[in-house]
Amino acid sequence: MAILKPFAAVRPRKDIAHKVAALPYDVMNSEEAREIVGDNEYSFLHVDKAEIDLDRNINIYDKIVYEKARNNLYEMINRGVLAKDNKKCLYIYRLIMDGIEQTGIVGCASIDDYLNNEIKKHEHTREEKEQDRINHVDICDANTGPIFLTYKYNNEINGIIKSWTEKEAIYDFLAEDNIRHMVWIIDDEHIICNICNIFKNIDSVYIADGHHRSASAVKVGLKRRKENPNYTGEEEFNFFLSVLFPHSDLRIMDYNRIVKDLNGLSTEEYMFRVSEKFNVNIYEGDEPYKPSCKHTYGMYLGGKWYELTAKKGTYDPCNLVDRLDASILQNNLLKPILGIEDPRTDNRVDFVGGIRGLKELELRIDNQKDGAAFSMYPTDIEDLMLIADAGEVMPPKSTWFEPKLRSGLFIHTLR
């Protein structure tokens, strides 16, 4: 059973929605955000990355940054850049990338569903990253970025979406990265009730992306409950902003690895140790090696690409986590050979989303003149759901979802 709740979204005027909508805060650093925003006064990065409007020397986790975010948000509301709908609705959000559509329902999920594991997770979170978004949500008094949830395809929901999207979209724009964004408002109370009832009969929903944002939203909700001991459970702080997509729509891209050095090994020593666990072949193609199936990897080393294939015995095929490509590489190469004990915290390893292309791996390794890069085969959405169902956790940086949901198209206020 999954609770889906309509809400009155704070959202941009139609004529400037394309200027407001911004990439998520966590796919860029502060300098990149400043460059992206330029002279765009409407960009939602003024809220999600408010340090761009402060001195460059300020600590991005200073309270003044969150206060600036709140001030920017409510200034946008006061100026009429953003306005709150006058009734509770659900919304449809469609993204089109390279001709492939991804269409979800925008509403609010329940913090109790998260706590009771009706909303299933597949990643650990880090306390410092949680605290950042706790401060942001609490001080802004709003969920400013949607959590990316998924559910197993449902024919009834698909039929409703198909019928409703025959209407004219309230937003329809092409972003600078050539991704088309479309939004419809579902304001018919009968249809809203029908959708919510269908979700009550869906066993589970899954966090695809946004573990830190969801954990933070839940902790803010629990904080508000403590502050309001007579709460009923219907207050807005009991729910958090989400977009729910059918799993069949989702596109997971490769999430590649770069290691800064060979852990003190010579190239010969390193290659010998790698060959103990992987079949290694020189790749003669003109383009970087892109794996075409599970348990194969590209390795860029010394100006050459190699094809690696995991040998028998390097993983347990019956173990959901152990058989993941990210686990196989970590357990048989990154940790024992290159000394990467914890990829979450080790600064010798970096991760590059597949959207940047494999030439980025070559560039990075050529520039640092040491180390190795690894191209990965994308994780299956079915593997993600199986692991979440089993209560297991995937290795860090196992999934890179594209296209990215834009922030600023929907804001959920907590009161």
Side-chain angles (χ1 to χ4, degrees):
M1 177 176 175
I3 295 172
L4 177 66
K5 183 177 180 292
F7 72 110
V10 175
R11 55 185 184 82
R13 291 196 329 249
K14 184 174 182 178
D15 61 312
I16 56 173
H18 64 291
K19 293 184 177 180
V20 173
L23 287 167
Y25 76 98
D26 54 356
V27 301
M28 70 193 79
N29 60 35
S30 301
E31 286 307 311
E32 288 170 332
R34 285 187 176 91
E35 185 176 339
I36 290 169
V37 168
D39 60 359
N40 180 6
E41 62 179 310
Y42 300 120
S43 173
F44 203 69
L45 290 175
H46 290 292
V47 176
D48 268 357
K49 299 282 286 184
E51 69 270 18
I52 66 175
D53 294 327
L54 298 169
D55 188 280
R56 278 182 163 82
N57 295 320
I58 197 163
N59 185 325
I60 64 171
Y61 304 119
D62 193 297
K63 186 178 180 182
I64 194 173
V65 176
Y66 306 108
E67 291 173 340
K68 184 64 175 174
R70 177 194 61 206
N71 293 342
N72 285 347
L73 173 61
Y74 290 97
E75 182 185 349
M76 291 173 82
I77 293 172
N78 292 335
R79 289 166 52 206
V81 175
L82 304 172
K84 190 170 186 175
D85 284 333
N86 57 18
K87 64 179 292 187
K88 293 185 177 182
C89 304
L90 294 175
Y91 306 82
I92 297 174
Y93 183 16
R94 173 173 289 164
L95 302 93
I96 305 174
M97 177 179 176
D98 299 333
I100 300 172
E101 294 183 356
Q102 176 178 306
T103 308
I105 301 285
V106 183
C108 286
S110 164
I111 69 171
D112 290 308
D113 279 357
Y114 180 97
L115 294 168
N116 297 332
N117 208 37
E118 298 284 352
I119 297 173
K120 297 188 175 180
K121 308 90 178 166
H122 66 268
E123 284 184 9
H124 286 308
T125 57
R126 291 169 58 181
E127 185 177 353
E128 67 273 18
K129 291 185 71 175
E130 275 190 31
Q131 191 59 53
D132 168 49
R133 287 301 102 178
I134 288 171
N135 292 338
H136 196 276
V137 171
D138 199 26
I139 292 175
C140 287
D141 203 24
N143 305 133
T144 60
I147 310 304
F148 187 163
L149 302 179
T150 188
Y151 61 93
K152 292 176 182 175
Y153 174 87
N154 181 283
N155 197 49
E156 285 185 273
I157 295 174
N158 183 65
I160 294 171
I161 289 174
K162 185 175 181 180
S163 173
W164 202 268
T165 53
E166 291 174 356
K167 304 172 184 287
E168 183 180 357
I170 58 165
Y171 302 143
D172 186 352
F173 62 89
L174 193 67
E176 69 282 351
D177 53 5
N178 290 320
I179 294 171
R180 187 178 178 187
H181 300 262
M182 305 176 73
V183 172
W184 293 262
I185 300 178
I186 303 178
D187 54 3
D188 183 304
E189 292 183 8
H190 176 74
I191 299 296
I192 291 171
C193 185
N194 189 17
I195 293 172
C196 293
N197 284 334
I198 294 171
F199 271 99
K200 286 180 182 177
N201 293 313
I202 289 177
D203 289 337
S204 298
V205 296
Y206 304 82
I207 299 175
D209 199 11
H211 282 78
H212 288 92
R213 275 171 285 162
S214 53
S216 302
V218 169
K219 289 184 177 179
V220 171
L222 294 176
K223 177 176 179 286
R224 297 290 177 93
R225 286 180 173 183
K226 185 176 286 189
E227 294 167 351
N228 299 272
N230 295 320
Y231 74 91
T232 67
E234 291 302 312
E235 298 87 354
E236 293 299 329
F237 58 72
N238 295 287
F239 304 91
F240 57 90
L241 178 63
S242 303
V243 188
L244 298 95
F245 294 94
H247 82 287
S248 54
D249 276 13
L250 299 194
R251 180 180 182 184
I252 303 180
M253 297 187 73
D254 42 308
Y255 211 161
N256 304 306
R257 277 85 169 123
I258 291 176
V259 182
K260 292 183 178 178
D261 57 65
L262 296 184
N263 198 28
L265 299 172
S266 68
T267 301
E268 292 75 18
E269 290 171 324
Y270 168 74
M271 291 296 284
F272 175 78
R273 293 193 59 184
V274 170
S275 66
E276 293 179 321
K277 297 291 186 177
F278 299 85
N279 294 315
V280 181
N281 293 301
I282 297 176
Y283 178 64
E284 302 288 357
D286 294 329
E287 295 296 319
Y289 179 75
K290 188 175 182 64
S292 58
C293 62
K294 290 183 177 182
H295 312 331
T296 61
Y297 310 81
M299 180 175 71
Y300 186 68
L301 172 72
K304 294 180 182 178
W305 279 96
Y306 298 85
E307 177 187 12
L308 308 184
T309 306
K311 290 184 176 180
K312 187 176 181 180
T314 53
Y315 62 94
D316 179 356
C318 297
N319 185 302
L320 293 173
V321 177
D322 195 55
R323 70 191 188 193
L324 290 175
D325 283 355
S327 297
I328 295 169
L329 188 70
Q330 175 64 27
N331 295 338
N332 293 279
L333 198 160
L334 298 186
K335 180 178 179 179
I337 300 176
L338 293 178
I340 306 297
E341 295 287 336
D342 186 352
R344 289 183 182 86
T345 58
D346 197 318
N347 61 14
R348 292 177 51 243
V349 64
D350 199 4
F351 302 88
V352 179
I355 194 68
R356 292 180 178 266
L358 298 183
K359 288 288 186 181
E360 175 71 12
L361 304 186
E362 294 183 349
L363 180 65
R364 297 271 295 272
I365 293 297
D366 290 346
N367 285 344
Q368 67 188 35
K369 296 181 173 59
D370 197 1
F374 303 90
S375 58
M376 310 286 290
Y377 187 73
T379 303
D380 288 339
I381 188 64
E382 289 81 6
D383 283 337
L384 182 154
M385 292 190 293
L386 284 171
I387 287 169
D389 284 337
E392 299 284 353
V393 176
M394 299 177 78
K397 310 296 185 183
S398 293
T399 56
W400 180 277
F401 287 92
E402 286 290 346
K404 296 295 182 188
L405 310 185
R406 293 276 164 149
S407 294
L409 293 176
F410 319 92
I411 299 101
H412 169 238
T413 54
L414 300 190
R415 62 177 91 220

